[in-house]
Amino acid sequence: MNLKPSFLENKNRMSRVMHEDLDASRRISQELLALLPASQTQSIVIVCIGTDRSTGDSLGPLVGTFLKEKTFASNFSVYGTLEDPIHAMNLEEKLTEIKLKYDRPFIIGIDACLGKLKSVGVVQIGEGPVKPGAGVNKELPSVGDAHITGIVNVSGFMEFMVLQNTRLNLVLKMAKTISNGIHLASSQLSRPSSFTPFTWSYEQEKTL
């Protein structure tokens, strides 16, 4: 969705992965590993934002639900599922709860977004927070030390309706790819990596 000008000024570079690529989950995991803190003991909290009441905006809760079904390293925690989503009405409350429960957690914000037609299906992984609600004129707090966003449809006109008419099949496939990538990153945390992440200089797509 439409980003605020201040968010567009974020100069952090990011990586982009097409969700249908054969090695998409592996590439997501490698990019994520490059962003995670060096400390093996620091809490890593994954905050999946969205709602199951909108097909396009269900990416976050689907990722959270898939992640809850997997086994993670003890320092990983997941918030935001289809059963207990994190959305505009409870986002601030959930962020406060997380900050009270964990000591200086490293937060990964996950959200759906809209972008250019040629970018639909792309997963973006980068430094800095995601800005939920920016495209529907909602003032919500930024989320995350890092972010993963999935471009689920095209931006530019009647974006609320675009979200409502986004194909669930696409969102489901993207959610599986993202959750598999995060799980793979968790399982590889203790392994040394010589991977050098590639980056793109394109402008960040629009988050919901």
Side-chain angles (χ1 to χ4, degrees):
M1 304 296 285
N2 296 320
L3 290 172
K4 305 298 182 185
S6 60
F7 191 60
L8 289 174
E9 291 170 3
N10 188 338
K11 300 301 182 181
N12 291 331
R13 296 164 73 89
M14 66 177 177
S15 300
R16 296 157 61 95
V17 178
M18 175 55 71
H19 80 284
E20 289 185 323
D21 289 351
L22 293 177
D23 63 343
S25 292
R26 180 187 62 81
R27 289 171 60 192
I28 290 171
S29 72
Q30 292 175 328
E31 297 294 343
L32 187 55
L33 283 169
L35 297 173
L36 291 177
S39 172
Q40 296 282 321
T41 59
Q42 184 173 357
S43 296
I44 297 170
V45 180
I46 303 166
V47 179
C48 304
I49 304 161
T51 174
D52 59 348
R53 295 178 181 270
S54 170
T55 307
D57 204 15
S58 65
L59 178 71
L62 281 169
V63 171
T65 297
F66 292 146
L67 290 176
K68 283 285 192 178
E69 297 172 352
K70 301 177 185 292
T71 301
F72 279 96
S74 59
N75 60 327
F76 271 72
S77 300
V78 178
Y79 286 78
T81 63
L82 291 173
E83 182 177 2
D84 185 18
I86 296 178
H87 44 66
M89 301 301 294
N90 66 358
L91 178 60
E92 292 189 47
E93 174 188 344
K94 291 293 186 180
L95 290 178
T96 298
E97 177 185 331
I98 290 168
K99 290 174 182 177
L100 288 173
K101 183 174 181 179
Y102 302 94
D103 179 27
R104 295 179 293 107
F106 185 90
I107 297 176
I108 303 168
I110 298 179
D111 200 3
C113 58
L114 301 177
K116 298 176 183 178
L117 178 61
K118 64 181 181 181
S119 296
V120 173
V122 166
V123 176
Q124 304 175 137
I125 312 99
E127 295 178 290
V130 65
K131 179 65 177 175
V136 288
N137 297 318
K138 293 180 180 179
E139 290 295 333
L140 298 174
S142 300
V143 179
D145 301 286
H147 65 270
I148 300 176
T149 56
I151 304 170
V152 299
N153 214 326
V154 181
S155 64
F157 181 70
M158 295 185 68
E159 292 172 328
F160 180 77
M161 292 299 296
V162 169
L163 286 176
Q164 297 289 345
N165 289 281
T166 297
R167 291 202 64 197
L168 179 59
N169 183 54
L170 170 64
V171 178
L172 187 66
K173 287 181 178 179
M174 294 181 72
K176 288 181 178 179
T177 298
I178 293 170
S179 62
N180 287 339
I182 295 172
H183 182 253
L184 186 58
S186 168
S187 66
Q188 293 179 341
L189 269 181
S190 60
R191 304 175 191 172
S193 173
S194 59
F195 173 75
T196 301
F198 63 90
T199 55
W200 293 61
S201 59
Y202 295 133
E203 179 183 282
Q204 171 127 5
E205 300 284 354
K206 304 175 180 181
T207 50
L208 297 174

